Amino acid sequence: MDKKLVIIPTYNEKENIEEIVRVVFGLPGGFHILVIDDGSPDGTAAIVKRLQESFPERLHLVERSGKLGLGTAYLTGFRWALERDYDYIFEMDADFSHNPADLLRLHEACEKGGADVSVGSRYCNGVSVVDWPISRILISYFASGYVRTILRMRVYDTTAGFVCYKRKVLGTMDLDAVKMKGYGFQIEMKYSAWKLGFQLKEVPIIFTNRQKGSSKMSGGIFGEAFWGVIALRFRNIKSRA
């Protein structure tokens, strides 16, 4: 059986972390989970450590000191996964905005559907978002349109954070060259994979706004993505030496 790792970055997710772990482990396919916790003061890491007693071979934890950014959390997880020979590496939020059952569909798109990167997409079949204010939907939707226009990449949900990578994609990328740290990171990863010749496929999902805990979004996140995309358009994307 192939080795599958779901990377879940956390900061103050005590309301969600135990349930999301148990739901993912209840899926077929033998998924493993790596939680990257950025020093959550609410005790998220302590909950994960307790759960490791029940899932010692499948649940893993990396603790970092302070909020170091979404992008650096995933890069830490990618390197961790590559060192341990995982075949498929997933990004997923802890707050159930992504339906864990869709992990199976993302995996199938890569295993059988010809994709090297599969993207859980809110926008490839219209708009599939539940419980977001209309202002946030419009910002997100038109931001993806802006990215497509600038980068000329035919991905409708460029900022999506629900993604499956084949190992060869992350092994080919120069992860040290990734510059954006917030949600621009999601754009940069997809663009880099595309420029390196990998096949991206969008899998339609329904995105549901978190019901527990607080959002980590900020204006600076959008600012980095806006200006970073322009710089990205003119950058030479190279594979790892």
Side-chain angles (χ1 to χ4, degrees), residues 75-139:
L75 290 172
T76 295
F78 294 158
R79 294 184 180 101
W80 192 96
L82 291 172
E83 289 171 0
R84 290 160 180 81
D85 297 323
Y86 281 93
D87 301 297
Y88 297 93
I89 299 98
F90 300 78
E91 300 178 2
M92 190 176 75
D93 290 347
D95 61 7
F96 284 95
S97 55
H98 304 138
N99 183 349
D102 287 331
L103 289 167
L104 301 173
R105 298 171 60 228
L106 293 179
H107 175 250
E108 183 177 24
C110 285
E111 183 186 40
K112 300 177 181 179
D116 298 308
V117 181
S118 58
V119 179
S121 177
R122 298 163 291 185
Y123 305 130
C124 65
N125 281 351
V127 177
S128 299
V129 178
V130 177
D131 290 337
W132 259 13
I134 188 64
S135 59
R136 188 168 173 184
I137 292 174
L138 290 173
I139 290 171

Side-chain angles (χ1 to χ4, degrees), residues 12-14 33 95 108-109 126 134 142 149 152 162 172 175 183 192 195-196 206 210 228 236:
N12 286 349
E13 292 289 355
K14 69 177 183 180
I33 293 174
D95 61 7
E108 183 177 24
I134 188 64
F142 285 109
T149 299
R152 303 174 185 174
F162 196 20
T172 300
L175 298 178
Y183 280 81
S192 297
K195 289 294 286 184
L196 290 171
I206 296 175
R210 67 162 60 236
N236 185 19

Side-chain angles (χ1 to χ4, degrees), residues 4 8 33 36 43 56 64 117 122 191 212 225 233:
K4 299 179 284 291
I8 304 179
I33 293 174
I36 310 284
R64 307 196 304 171
V117 181
R122 298 163 291 185
Y191 181 69
K212 301 176 183 177
R233 174 68 176 82

Side-chain angles (χ1 to χ4, degrees), residues 28-192:
F31 290 92
H32 290 197
I33 293 174
L34 172 63
V35 175
I36 310 284
D37 187 70
D38 273 6
S40 298
D42 72 346
T44 298
I47 296 171
V48 175
K49 289 175 182 177
R50 173 172 57 79
L51 290 169
Q52 284 181 308
E53 297 175 5
S54 300
F55 307 103
E57 302 298 324
R58 298 175 65 188
L59 179 58
H60 310 281
L61 173 66
V62 171
E63 293 183 85
R64 307 196 304 171
S65 57
K67 296 180 71 174
L68 302 177
L70 180 73
T72 65
Y74 276 125
L75 290 172
T76 295
F78 294 158
R79 294 184 180 101
W80 192 96
L82 291 172
E83 289 171 0
R84 290 160 180 81
D85 297 323
Y86 281 93
D87 301 297
Y88 297 93
I89 299 98
F90 300 78
E91 300 178 2
M92 190 176 75
D93 290 347
D95 61 7
F96 284 95
S97 55
H98 304 138
N99 183 349
D102 287 331
L103 289 167
L104 301 173
R105 298 171 60 228
L106 293 179
H107 175 250
E108 183 177 24
C110 285
E111 183 186 40
K112 300 177 181 179
D116 298 308
V117 181
S118 58
V119 179
S121 177
R122 298 163 291 185
Y123 305 130
C124 65
N125 281 351
V127 177
S128 299
V129 178
V130 177
D131 290 337
W132 259 13
I134 188 64
S135 59
R136 188 168 173 184
I137 292 174
L138 290 173
I139 290 171
S140 176
Y141 182 81
F142 285 109
S144 282
Y146 162 77
V147 172
R148 287 199 308 276
T149 299
I150 299 298
L151 298 183
R152 303 174 185 174
M153 176 176 62
R154 293 189 60 81
V155 174
Y156 284 91
D157 195 353
T158 54
T159 61
F162 196 20
V163 184
C164 174
Y165 295 94
K166 283 184 176 178
R167 173 187 175 82
K168 66 179 181 180
V169 177
L170 299 179
T172 300
M173 281 187 186
D174 183 0
L175 298 178
D176 293 332
V178 176
K179 298 183 182 301
M180 289 192 268
K181 307 303 182 187
Y183 280 81
F185 165 83
Q186 302 291 4
I187 300 167
E188 184 171 355
M189 288 295 296
K190 295 176 184 67
Y191 181 69
S192 297

